[in-house]
Amino acid sequence: MKKHYFTTLLIGVVGCIPSLFAQTAAFKGLEHLFTLPESYVVGYTSTAPIIDGNINDQVWNNAQWTGSFQDIEGDLKPKPYYDTKVKMLWDSTYLYIAADMVDENVWAYLTERDQVVFFDNDFEVFINPVNTSHQYFEYEINALNTVFDLFLPKPYRSGSGALISWDSNRLKHGVHIYGSLNDPSDKDKGWTVELAIPFADITVANTTNIPKDGDIWRLNFSRVQWETEVSGNKYVKKRDANNKTLPENNWVWSPQGIIDMHAPERWGYLQFSTNKAGAKLPEFVLPYSELQRQYLWLVYYKQREYRNTKGVFAKNLKELGIPQVVSIEGKQNKLSMESTSSQFNATISGTDSKEIRINNEGLVN
């Protein structure tokens, strides 16, 4: 689905950029956090790809590529100088991911499981099956096929740490190098990654969460790319005039709008279809509840701004400049908020009276 479709949906409604912001001052200054995430409808496969890093299996021809990755901040930064794209398939056991990364200098030095792989160039997957912005999973892999996998009960911004001891033991992974690894004397073409992520490993429950037709999860991909130079026969990271390592490039499938992958509400949408991969797949349509959530995230971001300035949360929506009644697709929705100096809960409900909530830790349910 193209970005202009979301804008058309939301003219005079909720997250419309720029139409809503031209009418509603509440979103002013936060436009970068209300762009439409990317979406991908993944088809079902009865034939599993061989997970060896080589993505030339016939089965992969049935899956569509995503668009090329962009900078994590979107249009605020230049387009990446190397191309990256992804395609996906699924069956009753795994979500399959193939990534293709152009790179003239393929290198990696970390070899042990659960080392901080993004200190090398790497490919990363972030996945939240429950779409609550909490209880999500992260996978990182470098060109040596070294994996760093972790579980996060909630994002770092909410005072959480990562559970690095968690391992995705059923994970299958492979890497293929088009060129020579760790050899600065030549130019490479790039590297590819294959992952088979087991649904059993990314389930926070006793019963494995196998997707159903039409289910929507939140997902994003990131490619970390460091600026390097050659020292001796080794790639080393470039440093600035103060001998500080230059920051890495963060290239992503769906731009976050901020330099932070740990904002799950900004990830893309992954919709599962039981239609056979290679056949016609349904078009992705943004659920109405996602339109409603935009106002909850507006409350969340505004409350964080308010507390950073005044040391406490705002007592009511008026202090945040947010209306109590909003129109979404022509339907009236009511916003309400309960707040103390250190906590808040906000809700939105439409004509069906169903409520969606967000709290000060960004938990949505």
Side-chain angles (χ1 to χ4, degrees), residues 26-45:
F27 286 88
K28 187 173 178 59
L30 296 174
E31 292 90 342
H32 59 295
L33 293 172
F34 290 94
T35 57
L36 174 65
E38 298 288 342
S39 60
Y40 188 98
V41 178
V42 57
Y44 190 88
T45 182

Side-chain angles (χ1 to χ4, degrees), residues 162-364:
L163 188 62
I164 297 174
S165 61
W166 173 82
D167 283 333
S168 184
N169 291 319
R170 303 173 186 87
L171 175 72
K172 298 179 182 180
H173 54 96
V175 168
H176 186 80
I177 311 297
Y178 291 88
S180 55
L181 182 66
N182 296 332
D183 184 358
S185 68
D186 63 3
K187 294 294 185 183
D188 308 311
K189 291 184 178 180
W191 57 299
T192 54
V193 170
E194 275 184 304
L195 297 171
I197 297 177
F199 296 124
D201 285 4
I202 55 173
T203 295
V204 188
N206 293 325
T207 302
T208 299
N209 181 17
I210 300 172
K212 300 182 294 297
D213 186 53
D215 280 359
I216 295 175
W217 292 10
R218 301 304 296 271
L219 179 81
N220 212 350
F221 303 104
S222 174
R223 175 181 177 180
V224 169
Q225 188 80 12
W226 296 90
E227 300 294 329
T228 62
E229 58 190 359
V230 177
S231 177
N233 195 35
K234 187 174 182 178
Y235 295 104
V236 296
K237 296 170 186 173
K238 290 184 178 180
R239 296 177 178 271
D240 62 19
N242 296 316
N243 203 35
K244 183 178 179 182
T245 301
L246 293 179
E248 74 278 15
N249 295 293
N250 293 280
W251 301 333
V252 305
W253 171 49
S254 189
Q256 296 285 104
I258 50 176
I259 306 176
D260 184 5
M261 286 304 298
H262 293 274
E265 72 277 7
R266 298 292 301 140
W267 296 351
Y269 295 99
L270 177 65
Q271 179 175 314
F272 292 87
S273 173
T274 52
N275 290 8
K276 186 177 180 180
K280 183 174 176 58
L281 298 176
E283 293 288 330
F284 176 78
V285 177
L286 196 70
Y288 186 81
S289 59
E290 289 300 309
L291 306 183
Q292 293 175 302
R293 285 169 179 240
Q294 302 307 304
Y295 270 105
L296 295 181
W297 285 111
L298 178 63
V299 173
Y300 176 81
Y301 298 141
K302 285 281 191 177
Q303 279 285 43
R304 285 169 62 88
E305 284 186 344
Y306 193 97
R307 192 180 191 189
N308 286 339
T309 302
K310 302 191 176 183
V312 296
F313 287 124
K315 295 178 181 179
N316 53 59
L317 293 171
K318 185 177 180 180
E319 288 184 314
L320 299 175
I322 299 174
Q324 291 183 310
V325 178
V326 296
S327 177
I328 302 176
E329 291 190 331
K331 301 175 183 177
Q332 295 298 300
N333 281 254
K334 181 181 179 181
L335 275 167
S336 61
M337 184 178 73
E338 297 178 347
S339 180
T340 69
S341 61
S342 59
Q343 295 179 326
F344 73 85
N345 282 277
T347 64
I348 189 168
S349 59
T351 54
D352 59 4
S353 298
K354 291 182 179 178
E355 292 187 342
I356 308 174
R357 301 176 178 83
I358 194 169
N359 67 11
N360 51 280
E361 293 190 333
L363 174 64
V364 180

Side-chain angles (χ1 to χ4, degrees), residues 15-58:
C16 171
I17 298 173
S19 299
L20 180 67
F21 302 125
Q23 303 171 39
T24 307
F27 286 88
K28 187 173 178 59
L30 296 174
E31 292 90 342
H32 59 295
L33 293 172
F34 290 94
T35 57
L36 174 65
E38 298 288 342
S39 60
Y40 188 98
V41 178
V42 57
Y44 190 88
T45 182
S46 55
T47 302
I50 299 170
I51 306 300
D52 58 4
N54 188 328
I55 61 175
N56 292 323
D57 298 21
Q58 180 66 31

Side-chain angles (χ1 to χ4, degrees), residues 39-91:
S39 60
Y40 188 98
V41 178
V42 57
Y44 190 88
T45 182
S46 55
T47 302
I50 299 170
I51 306 300
D52 58 4
N54 188 328
I55 61 175
N56 292 323
D57 298 21
Q58 180 66 31
V59 65
W60 280 119
N61 293 335
N62 295 323
Q64 296 296 314
W65 288 110
T66 64
S68 296
F69 282 25
Q70 304 171 59
D71 187 86
I72 192 170
E73 293 185 87
D75 293 339
L76 295 176
K77 293 292 178 66
K79 292 182 178 180
Y81 50 82
Y82 287 144
D83 192 48
T84 310
K85 54 190 176 183
V86 168
K87 58 173 60 177
M88 288 174 274
L89 297 164
W90 74 291
D91 60 22

